[in-house]
Amino acid sequence: MEDYGRFLALLGSALLVGFLSVIFTLVWVLHYREGLAWDGGAAEFNWHPVLILTGFVFVQGIAIIVYRLPWTWKCSKVLMKLIHAGLNTIALTLAIISLVAVFDFHNTAKIPNMYSLHSWIGLTAVILYSLQLVLGFVVFLLPFAPISLRAALMPIHVYSGLLIFGTVIATVLMGITEKLIFALKAPPYRDSPEEALFVNTLGLLVVVFGGIILWMATRPHWKRPLEPNSKVQEKIGGKYEGNQEGLTKTDCNDRENSDVELSSEARKQHLSLDDAGQRSTM
């Protein structure tokens, strides 16, 4: 891997900042707010920031870069797809639970639902994330979709994943600001009390985490390399033939050397197909 040391430094920084973001969120709700409960009160609402920061930010960020971890490159691509899908499923599950907590709190307190820009964009992000997960499972994990369809949808899948992640970061910043404005009365948010400074620091951590993840996910030289023993899809008579990806390696401990070398001409000719099967950014 090119710039391996830099990659490890960024990975370590992302894990540290992401973990600190989760810890800051827990300190916020446990120390400055009402704690955590499931009783329809303010403590139930506090599950919303905790689960969003943990799942929709931290876990989703790790899911985005999981393909880029160099020690996973000897793992089966199918296994890595399962890990990627599993992490995204965890993130979505936590996000849905956090929405249930918000709606339950609002309904109990007779507060209107879905009136703020934060709620509009947040719910949109959850819906789009759900569609992204379902389509990704059907097209890229199940073996039924043709290679040509995967090649066509891969750029959209990658772009939409990064767009949703960036949207979640922005929504989190709107949400914590909105909460501080509503909750801080004496002294108010504008007077920068201790809680405001603490939560503003949390917002900075979230931005830094998102920036590191997006940087790592968009560096082309950190993509998962070609599997050496995968066959090139050959286009014969207008049809793509050849074996499907991910069938040659079964675990992360053994990696056999391939006797089959891909010619440079074949690599160039089938680059777009390889992008769909072997070198996804996400």
Side-chain angles (χ1 to χ4, degrees):
M1 167 185 271
E2 184 179 342
D3 296 330
Y4 181 68
R6 184 182 303 174
F7 177 87
L8 289 182
L10 287 173
L11 177 62
S13 299
L15 293 175
L16 175 61
V17 175
F19 182 72
L20 282 176
S21 299
V22 175
I23 296 300
F24 267 56
T25 308
L26 286 170
V27 172
W28 178 27
V29 302
L30 295 176
H31 178 68
Y32 293 101
R33 295 288 100 203
E34 298 79 5
L36 294 170
W38 199 274
D39 56 4
E44 180 175 346
F45 173 87
N46 290 341
W47 281 110
H48 181 64
V50 170
L51 296 179
I52 287 294
L53 262 294
T54 302
F56 227 26
V57 176
F58 185 58
V59 176
Q60 182 185 175
I62 300 305
I64 288 175
I65 62 171
V66 69
Y67 282 122
R68 304 205 160 211
L69 304 179
W71 48 87
T72 68
W73 290 351
K74 52 188 169 182
C75 297
S76 161
K77 187 64 182 293
V78 172
L79 173 62
M80 296 312 301
K81 286 183 177 182
L82 289 172
I83 294 174
H84 178 70
L87 290 172
N88 281 304
T89 301
I90 292 173
L92 178 61
T93 301
L94 295 180
I96 291 174
I97 295 174
S98 77
L99 292 183
V100 173
V102 171
F103 282 107
D104 190 39
F105 166 71
H106 280 189
N107 293 335
T108 301
K110 307 302 181 182
I111 299 174
N113 292 306
M114 301 302 300
Y115 65 88
S116 67
L117 181 61
H118 165 72
S119 62
W120 289 9
I121 297 180
L123 184 59
T124 300
V126 172
I127 293 173
L128 293 177
Y129 194 82
S130 303
L131 294 175
Q132 170 93 340
L133 182 60
V134 172
L135 291 176
F137 180 83
V138 172
V139 175
F140 299 107
L141 191 58
L142 296 181
F144 308 115
I147 288 293
S148 57
L149 178 61
R150 295 184 183 186
L153 292 183
M154 177 55 69
I156 300 174
H157 180 74
V158 171
Y159 173 78
S160 59
L162 297 179
L163 176 63
I164 291 171
F165 181 67
T167 302
V168 168
I169 297 294
T171 307
V172 166
L173 298 179
M174 286 190 291
I176 61 178
T177 302
E178 181 181 290
K179 177 63 176 179
L180 289 176
I181 292 174
F182 289 159
L184 297 180
K185 301 299 182 182
Y189 182 36
R190 64 176 177 270
D191 291 342
S192 298
E194 179 182 324
E195 181 180 353
L197 296 177
F198 183 85
V199 178
N200 284 349
T201 303
L202 167 62
L204 291 176
L205 290 174
V206 172
V207 171
V208 172
F209 176 76
I212 295 174
I213 293 297
L214 291 175
W215 179 264
M216 296 174 67
T218 54
R219 298 308 93 191
H221 53 277
W222 288 342
K223 284 184 179 181
R224 177 184 172 101
L226 288 170
E227 294 184 3
N229 52 356
S230 62
K231 294 182 180 180
V232 177
Q233 298 290 331
E234 297 293 342
K235 186 177 181 181
I236 302 176
K239 297 182 179 180
Y240 292 101
E241 298 183 357
N243 72 326
Q244 294 183 357
E245 57 171 335
L247 301 180
T248 56
K249 292 183 290 186
T250 58
D251 56 52
C252 300
N253 298 322
D254 299 311
R255 185 177 187 174
E256 299 180 357
N257 293 326
S258 174
D259 295 327
V260 180
E261 294 294 334
L262 301 178
S263 67
S264 59
E265 181 180 357
R267 288 175 183 266
K268 294 178 182 178
Q269 180 180 0
H270 299 283
L271 180 60
S272 62
L273 296 179
D274 175 67
D275 281 339
Q278 301 291 346
R279 300 179 61 181
S280 65
T281 297
M282 297 295 287

